[in-house]
Amino acid sequence: MSGQNDQHVVRHLDLGGGQIHLMRAGAGEELLFLHPAAGAGFWLPFHDLLAERFDVISPDHPGFGESDRLEWIDGMEDLVYFYLDLLEELELESVHVVGASLGGWLGAELAVHQPSKVRSLVMVDPIGLDLPAHPVEDIFAMNPDELRAALFVDQQLALQFISPEPDLDMLMRAFKEKTSFARLAWNPFCCNPKLHLRLHRVTAPTLVLWGSDDRLVPLAHGEHYRDLIAGARLEIIEDCGHAPLLEQPDRTVAAIGRFHDELAPDAEERAR
Amino acid sequence: MKFFMFHLMPYPHLPEDFDERESAWVTLSNSNYDPTIGTGLYNRYLDELEYAEQLGFDGICVNEHHQNAYGTMPSPNLMAAALVRRTEKLQIAIVGNGLPLRDHPLRVAEEVAMLDVISGGRIISGFVRGIGDEYFSMSIDPSTSRERYSEAHDLIIKAWTTEGPFRWIGKHYRLNYVNVWPRPLQQPHPPIWIPAFGSTETMSWAAERHYTYLSVFAPSKLLKRWFDGYRAGANAAGYEAPRDKIGILLPIYVAETDKEAHDQGRQYVTWLYHKGLKHKFEHLFPPGYMTDHSWGRFLQSGLGAYSDVSYEDLVKQGYAVVGSPATVRERLAELAEELGFGLVNALLHIGDMPHDHTIRNMELFAREVMPHFRAQSAAA
């Protein structure tokens, strides 16, 4: 594999009352990628790395990236039901899930609602837990400089993702995504206060990855996810902020790869 | 022309390093608020509003803002209650209750109806959404602001105009028994005023309902567009918008001479726009507070922060009127001609203005400016 798989297929699905933008590439078992609250709609280097091993399915959540906003989605539960519909639409019995930040929370919720649909779960710096002693920073109030400082260790790299001179399109898109995010996460802020009571329902093998220098979401959230999901493991990605898939794509995808290597024999075991 | 005296009741004693702070809102600690000073301020400010009755104003305005130094009336209905029993003729305009910020719109319906009944029908009921910062301060999802506002409005109007009890099943409010006691005295309900910030949706929404449309701080060339939009909305609804349903909010400072007015007024006007209205951009424009469409229009308008506009430009562009009685008469006439308003909400206490200057400002305005425009409307 070249690692430069620009051959991803773009589809526009009619689903839930609007058009959903979906990118897909690679071969192997299906892996659903659930993106974070910003920057949807782009096929990025980590997608290519994942596509070396998996059939990567990467939709833009409704109201993010190039997907339409669906008026009926105004909370995480709605988004979960949207994704259950999406899996049916794609005729997928179950998938591997990788979710980052907001997407990690969504992955956990999917695994709670329909454990059988999630073959394995990787959460990268997920929000979603209600931990009053370890508050998530108020991302809605941050200006671009503060966002770069909160999300990335490497501030030069951060400039590639959060431009110091955004054009009108970028500002419009950011507003659309923040609006959609607000509907999921303004209050209760970035969490489902009931989630910790439900995580015992998760049956998927679970890996929690955490940037060593995440200044947005405290590591305690990762530790709680690890402790609340049976058999889950927590691994730290060094030299990295809140967005390991952007800041350390090689290390992060390698960690996901090792997790799947370990799963494989289990699967054979179970098959026997 | 009708004249109302507007007051914001600011807390002028900001920390010395205020210019390095990001905002006078949301994050400016209330450790900067001294309640002992507050006692003096509230009572002084109420005295000033009450004095407007003696000076012959048509009414006075109170409004709602939360967790900031710019305006210390988190409950405008409380302020109206304090004023209702101390005045006899003035109309009291609450501009307005921040509907989406309330969990229960019937509290607004009840309180305003109480005030209307106690005052013998002198209440004007304004409805606002609250500004972006307040969605942080109250943790209300700004992306639901417009629909909460619209639903709360419909519910309140229905509660005032329909015999109860009735059932209300909405998206944000679900009530099995709506049966508001007391009913308002004014029929079908108190006049409604809508302060707005240039959203096209609001212009036609207000015009369709024959509500009074009020501007907020902006340069006159922008106000022209807003008022034209409201007039167009009225035309589309099949009538011509009367001048007295178009109101301008205008900081005004009158002194004996132009020089004196500017020497003193510069500080007050600058406090208002550069300190009181100092916002963090992300607080002022939270996600979903505007439609995507309005956000795009706003970005393209190139409208900057108030704090970037110099005092000279604030005066030149019509953010404030400052001068001798003759100058203020002239400028106000010019603006009225250009913009076509028939209602002036005069902010006669501005920023950190002391009591004596406020009183003199009110007196000069009432005696040397207002009569000129009253004579004019009487003649017309």
Side-chain angles (χ1 to χ4, degrees), chain A residues 141-142 146 175 179 183 186-187, chain B residues 139-140 142-143 280 282 288 295:
Chain A
M142 289 181 186
E146 291 164 338
F175 191 76
T179 298
R183 294 165 69 137
W186 190 276
N187 188 1
Chain B
S139 279
I140 301 287
S143 75
K280 186 176 189 184
E282 285 71 20
W295 175 244

Side-chain angles (χ1 to χ4, degrees), chain B residues 65-80:
Chain B
H65 283 299
H66 296 271
Q67 303 186 25
N68 73 98
Y70 159 88
T72 58
M73 290 184 275
S75 168
N77 300 343
L78 275 184
M79 302 321 279

Side-chain angles (χ1 to χ4, degrees), chain B residues 264-302:
Chain B
Q264 295 164 352
R266 168 184 295 267
Q267 177 186 323
Y268 310 143
V269 170
T270 306
W271 193 101
L272 170 66
Y273 283 104
H274 293 184
K275 294 183 191 288
L277 285 166
K278 184 176 185 185
H279 296 278
K280 186 176 189 184
F281 183 84
E282 285 71 20
H283 289 159
L284 190 54
F285 300 106
Y289 179 77
M290 292 192 235
T291 59
D292 291 350
H293 175 75
S294 295
W295 175 244
R297 269 171 39 111
F298 167 76
L299 289 175
Q300 283 164 314
S301 77

Side-chain angles (χ1 to χ4, degrees), chain A residues 199-271:
Chain A
L199 284 173
H200 66 273
R201 289 175 47 79
V202 178
T203 53
T206 299
L207 172 68
V208 184
L209 295 174
W210 217 270
S212 57
D213 297 272
D214 185 338
R215 297 186 198 102
L216 190 72
V217 186
L219 176 62
H221 291 247
E223 294 165 346
H224 277 76
Y225 269 117
R226 176 198 60 200
D227 296 346
L228 290 163
I229 298 173
R233 200 172 77 211
L234 172 65
E235 228 177 275
I236 304 297
I237 307 292
E238 296 298 335
D239 307 316
C240 190
H242 179 69
L245 287 164
L246 302 181
E247 191 157 21
Q248 296 290 355
D250 294 300
R251 286 185 200 172
T252 308
V253 174
I256 295 170
R258 286 194 300 277
F259 168 67
H260 278 278
D261 290 343
E262 290 168 24
L263 290 183
D266 285 357
E268 281 166 30
E269 191 89 19
R270 277 201 300 271

Side-chain angles (χ1 to χ4, degrees), chain A:
Chain A
M1 281 273 184
S2 68
Q4 275 299 309
N5 186 345
D6 281 329
Q7 301 305 308
H8 69 271
V9 177
V10 171
R11 283 181 68 190
H12 292 275
L13 290 179
D14 273 317
L15 192 61
Q19 284 236 318
I20 300 304
H21 177 249
L22 182 145
M23 301 170 293
R24 187 166 186 170
E29 295 187 29
E30 294 93 354
L31 181 147
L32 177 66
F33 176 70
L34 301 172
H35 64 74
F42 301 102
W43 188 264
L44 295 165
F46 75 81
H47 284 99
D48 276 334
L49 294 171
L50 288 170
E52 289 175 17
R53 176 161 181 174
F54 297 100
D55 172 8
V56 177
I57 302 160
S58 187
D60 301 353
H61 311 325
F64 292 81
E66 292 175 26
S67 290
D68 290 341
R69 181 176 295 146
L70 303 179
E71 287 308 321
W72 60 271
I73 296 188
D74 60 11
M76 178 51 83
E77 195 181 43
D78 295 323
L79 190 57
V80 168
Y81 281 97
F82 168 84
Y83 268 97
L84 293 175
D85 289 346
L86 181 101
L87 291 178
E88 276 184 27
E89 176 76 19
L90 298 176
E91 296 178 347
L92 295 167
E93 272 302 307
S94 67
V95 286
H96 296 290
V97 171
V98 173
S101 192
L102 167 68
W105 174 17
L106 172 58
E109 295 273 6
L110 271 173
V112 161
H113 280 249
Q114 285 278 0
S116 62
K117 294 277 184 195
V118 180
R119 227 177 293 166
S120 72
L121 175 63
V122 176
M123 296 187 281
V124 188
D125 296 71
I127 55 172
L129 285 176
D130 186 19
L131 297 178
H134 306 279
V136 175
E137 293 293 321
D138 188 357
I139 193 166
F140 291 112
M142 289 181 186
N143 64 33
D145 290 342
E146 291 164 338
L147 273 176
R148 274 184 228 106
L151 295 177
F152 292 92
V153 171
D154 181 344
Q155 290 298 294
Q156 277 307 111
L157 181 76
L159 291 169
Q160 289 178 25
F161 293 103
I162 304 169
S163 167
E165 286 167 358
D167 60 25
L168 186 65
D169 278 353
M170 292 161 80
L171 290 169
M172 292 292 290
R173 197 168 168 127
F175 191 76
K176 171 186 167 182
E177 293 194 336
K178 275 164 76 175
T179 298
S180 303
F181 184 43
R183 294 165 69 137
L184 305 171
W186 190 276
N187 188 1
F189 177 65
C190 288
C191 71
N192 171 358
K194 303 271 191 190
L195 183 57
H196 69 282
L197 301 172
R198 302 173 179 170
L199 284 173
H200 66 273
R201 289 175 47 79
V202 178
T203 53
T206 299
L207 172 68
V208 184
L209 295 174
W210 217 270
S212 57
D213 297 272
D214 185 338
R215 297 186 198 102
L216 190 72
V217 186
L219 176 62
H221 291 247
E223 294 165 346
H224 277 76
Y225 269 117
R226 176 198 60 200
D227 296 346
L228 290 163
I229 298 173
R233 200 172 77 211
L234 172 65
E235 228 177 275
I236 304 297
I237 307 292
E238 296 298 335
D239 307 316
C240 190
H242 179 69
L245 287 164
L246 302 181
E247 191 157 21
Q248 296 290 355
D250 294 300
R251 286 185 200 172
T252 308
V253 174
I256 295 170
R258 286 194 300 277
F259 168 67
H260 278 278
D261 290 343
E262 290 168 24
L263 290 183
D266 285 357
E268 281 166 30
E269 191 89 19
R270 277 201 300 271
R272 242 182 264 139

Side-chain angles (χ1 to χ4, degrees), chain B residues 35 52 149 264 330:
Chain B
Y149 177 86
Q264 295 164 352
E330 203 174 299

